[in-house]
Amino acid sequence: MTEGRSGLFAAFSKGNLVSRSSLMEAFHDSGILEDDIRYLPLLKRLKSCSEQLTEADFQGLQECSPALFEQVLSGQLAIPQFHDFCADVEDIYDKVSLIKDGKLADYIPQLQRVDPEKFSISICSIDGQRMSLGDADDSFCVQSCSKPITYCLALEEHGEEEVHRYVGAEPSGKTFNELALNSKGLPHNPMINAGAIMCGALIKAGSESADRFDYVISRWRDFAGGAKIGFDNAVYLSERQTADRNFALGYFMREKKAFPPDADLLDVLDFYFQCCSIEASTKSLSIIAATLANGGNCPLTGVQVMRPDHVKNCLSLMSSCGMYDFSGEFAFKVGIPAKSGVSGAILLVVPNVAGFAVWSPRLDELGNSVRGVEFCRRLVSRFKFHTFDSMVGLTDDRVDPRRNLYASRFGGITALCWAAYGDDVAEMRRLVAIGIDPASHDYDRRTALHIAASEGKLNSLRYLLSLGVNINPLDRWGKTPLDDAEMQGHQGASSLLAEHGGQRQSAPARKNN
Ligand code: GLN
């Protein structure tokens, strides 16, 4: 521990002092915000220090928030290059904000009146790194984004087996409020209206409705790490008044004897309307999504809000049923567990990495936010977030932001160069199989082919050539592998390269030097 600490001090110190602003900058760049309760005690102390900190000051700071301090300063966070990641997300946000397609939900006046231009995105990583863009402080009713939480709360109270005696786990293939039940007369899944009404019937069934509502709101706040969660009474009243379809679903399920024995239908429906009317911003929703991404543990408070196995159930159903009638295609193209609501919100959970919340009220015909869906598509076209992007051997240009770019990418290249140097084709093959590009180069633009040529390693050369890598890459001194082989007097390597089209570039390069 002490060793680690002095190592950290040494890394940040200049002339045996550490500048306060460099520390604050490290936290800021890592996405640790000033209202983060883990950071507050440290920040308070930091602000009371002078600009130049001694090792004793530094250790005092460390003691305020030891885990966070070490994580941030040693770069051990879920998204190591958070600043770069945010710049990419901002670029996506700017492009998506140009989209004007879709129209507002119009079944209640409160949703019809929302400014259609509203747009926000918030991110919270599983280590509590946060960033928001646009109207991220505006609150909106969460609508169907409440369904995953309602399901989680039902699971927590009754367990998987009991809950699924009342609700299925299959996509319905129909719209979210379709008057349809499965072959057992039960709702298809908890992510559509019938299923959410049913899960609601399982939560604190014997309690007064006021107590039950208090309970649910307090659980929402646990998920959101204390961030603002409200209630929109006007939406609730409207929902209740224009709820013919939900009443019809309720009566249909009652007719099929689908509800638990003591359920009071009107009370159950009322509870469902209340859940749809819970109010949040993308800032608070992204923390909820991050709690789900983090196996039910809220990244900001460290509180285990939900059991990981229940979160796993919830994410599985979000993956297959969370985007209304678009769920299958969304799972195919985007491949991230998500849940949308007709207010234009989308809750997006990248397991073990981060939670995202997007809000833009204009909807497509299926009821999903147009910009929200486009944001998701672009997100996975830039980052390896699709559930199956972890597939061995899958290589493309997209970034995996959970890996330290320098340590992982350049670590891979270095390993490949060392394997070429050792003429170890089996190791090279293994590295290529796990996704290292055989044509990649280090900071001097040296490739494995340059190394194999310089060292006269014929097996490595043959292997690299069999992969079809560019035979004449130029390093920073303008040298090709053939130049290297000739310069080191490796006859065999030179002929092999020449046979495959290897060329010399040394003459112009020397001129440049
Ligand atoms: N509150 C609305 C309903 O129950 C919409 C829910 C949703 O977001 N799909 O019909």
Side-chain angles (χ1 to χ4, degrees):
M1 190 76 178
T2 325
E3 232 172 66
R5 284 181 181 182
S6 55
L8 281 185
F9 181 76
F12 279 82
S13 67
K14 214 191 225 166
N16 246 350
L17 292 170
V18 167
S19 93
R20 183 177 68 161
S21 42
S22 71
L23 289 186
M24 289 177 78
E25 209 173 284
F27 278 84
H28 176 265
D29 288 353
S30 305
I32 304 300
L33 302 185
E34 297 206 349
D35 65 353
D36 188 320
I37 56 167
R38 301 166 304 166
Y39 185 31
L40 283 174
L42 169 58
L43 187 64
K44 195 169 159 218
R45 182 143 179 178
L46 203 50
K47 283 185 173 165
S48 71
C49 290
S50 57
E51 176 53 29
Q52 296 299 328
L53 310 169
T54 63
E55 186 157 8
D57 296 331
F58 190 83
Q59 277 180 9
L61 286 169
Q62 194 157 21
E63 274 148 27
C64 294
S65 313
L68 186 70
F69 193 86
E70 188 138 354
Q71 251 187 320
V72 169
L73 298 191
S74 61
Q76 305 291 318
L77 291 160
I79 303 180
Q81 272 87 38
F82 193 66
H83 216 58
D84 298 347
F85 175 72
C86 291
D88 279 348
V89 171
E90 194 165 347
D91 184 48
I92 299 176
Y93 174 90
D94 289 341
K95 296 207 166 93
V96 171
S97 66
L98 303 176
I99 300 172
K100 310 281 177 193
D101 301 338
K103 54 186 196 36
L104 295 173
D106 56 5
Y107 71 97
I108 54 171
Q110 284 67 28
L111 288 178
Q112 214 172 358
R113 278 189 221 127
V114 176
D115 175 358
E117 279 307 318
K118 291 284 181 188
F119 185 26
S120 62
I121 289 172
S122 298
I123 306 170
C124 177
S125 83
I126 57 161
D127 284 322
Q129 302 162 275
R130 286 179 290 160
M131 194 273 281
S132 285
L133 296 164
D135 306 297
D137 284 309
D138 286 26
S139 291
F140 47 84
C141 52
V142 296
Q143 293 292 348
S144 284
C145 289
S146 61
K147 289 173 172 131
I149 305 299
T150 303
Y151 174 51
C152 279
L153 296 180
L155 282 176
E156 183 180 50
E157 204 169 320
H158 301 281
E160 178 187 334
E161 210 181 307
E162 179 73 1
V163 168
H164 284 284
R165 285 179 50 207
Y166 294 98
V167 58
E170 279 291 336
S172 67
K174 306 208 168 69
T175 52
F176 61 90
N177 59 4
E178 181 84 14
L179 204 53
L181 298 174
N182 68 17
S183 57
K184 292 185 190 144
L186 298 177
H188 288 87
N189 66 69
M191 301 297 153
I192 54 172
N193 289 20
I197 292 169
M198 182 57 79
C199 288
L202 298 171
I203 296 174
K204 300 273 173 238
S207 305
E208 289 295 324
S209 41
D211 292 339
R212 184 178 47 199
F213 181 70
D214 272 347
Y215 163 74
V216 168
I217 287 287
S218 80
R219 297 312 312 275
W220 270 75
R221 293 194 177 125
D222 292 342
F223 269 98
K228 206 171 140 215
I229 298 293
F231 180 72
D232 189 330
N233 197 41
V235 167
Y236 162 68
L237 295 171
S238 276
E239 286 287 341
R240 206 169 56 163
Q241 208 154 38
T242 51
D244 290 349
R245 177 58 68 109
N246 288 321
F247 275 99
L249 279 171
Y251 283 114
F252 188 22
M253 289 192 280
R254 192 163 79 173
E255 186 217 343
K256 296 281 182 192
K257 306 213 176 334
F259 284 112
D262 298 329
D264 175 315
L265 180 59
L266 296 186
D267 188 46
V268 165
L269 286 168
D270 213 41
F271 178 62
Y272 171 77
F273 305 137
Q274 287 164 11
C275 290
C276 289
S277 311
I278 287 173
E279 221 182 31
S281 61
T282 53
K283 278 189 179 169
S284 39
L285 275 187
S286 67
I287 302 170
I288 293 176
T291 300
L292 292 172
N294 198 28
N297 188 292
C298 177
L300 299 180
T301 58
V303 172
Q304 191 69 39
V305 182
M306 194 57 51
R307 271 172 42 180
D309 53 331
H310 294 155
V311 171
K312 179 183 156 197
N313 290 339
C314 181
L315 296 182
S316 303
L317 291 179
M318 284 168 73
S319 295
S320 55
C321 319
M323 295 296 285
Y324 306 132
D325 210 10
F326 185 60
S327 301
E329 200 169 326
F330 192 86
F332 179 60
K333 294 244 169 73
V334 177
I336 303 175
K339 183 73 202 86
S340 63
V342 286
S343 50
I346 298 183
L347 200 67
L348 201 60
V349 180
V350 183
N352 305 321
V353 183
F356 293 75
V358 190
W359 175 53
S360 169
R362 277 191 290 246
L363 309 178
D364 60 22
E365 317 81 66
L366 297 171
N368 293 312
S369 166
V370 176
R371 284 176 178 163
V373 169
E374 188 54 25
F375 173 78
C376 299
R377 281 190 213 272
R378 285 176 183 255
L379 192 71
V380 289
S381 69
R382 185 100 37 126
F383 300 108
K384 297 187 176 189
F385 281 160
H386 189 295
T387 310
F388 300 117
D389 276 336
S390 55
M391 191 65 76
V392 169
L394 194 65
T395 53
D396 54 50
D397 294 340
R398 292 172 310 144
V399 178
D400 184 351
R402 68 205 101 183
R403 295 166 83 178
N404 183 313
L405 278 185
Y406 304 109
S408 59
R409 187 190 299 162
F410 299 119
I413 295 165
T414 308
L416 193 69
C417 288
W418 275 101
Y421 173 80
D423 213 19
D424 186 345
V425 174
E427 175 63 3
M428 292 173 79
R429 192 172 283 126
R430 190 188 70 78
L431 293 165
V432 172
I434 61 168
I436 291 155
D437 179 358
S440 53
H441 57 76
D442 69 8
Y443 48 84
D444 283 333
R445 308 192 70 80
R446 301 279 292 162
T447 64
L449 201 66
H450 282 105
I451 306 296
S454 295
E455 301 297 329
K457 299 296 161 83
L458 294 177
N459 292 324
S460 297
L461 279 178
R462 280 194 201 100
Y463 174 64
L464 289 164
L465 293 175
S466 77
L467 295 175
V469 299
N470 173 14
I471 194 165
N472 294 310
L474 299 181
D475 67 12
R476 72 183 291 186
W477 299 279
K479 284 192 301 168
T480 65
L482 181 58
D483 290 327
D484 282 341
E486 289 191 340
M487 200 185 322
Q488 301 300 328
H490 296 304
Q491 280 285 305
S494 302
S495 341
L496 185 63
L497 285 161
E499 270 164 36
H500 284 80
Q503 288 169 8
R504 293 180 198 91
Q505 293 285 340
S506 48
R510 263 199 293 273
K511 226 186 287 164
N512 289 344
N513 286 343

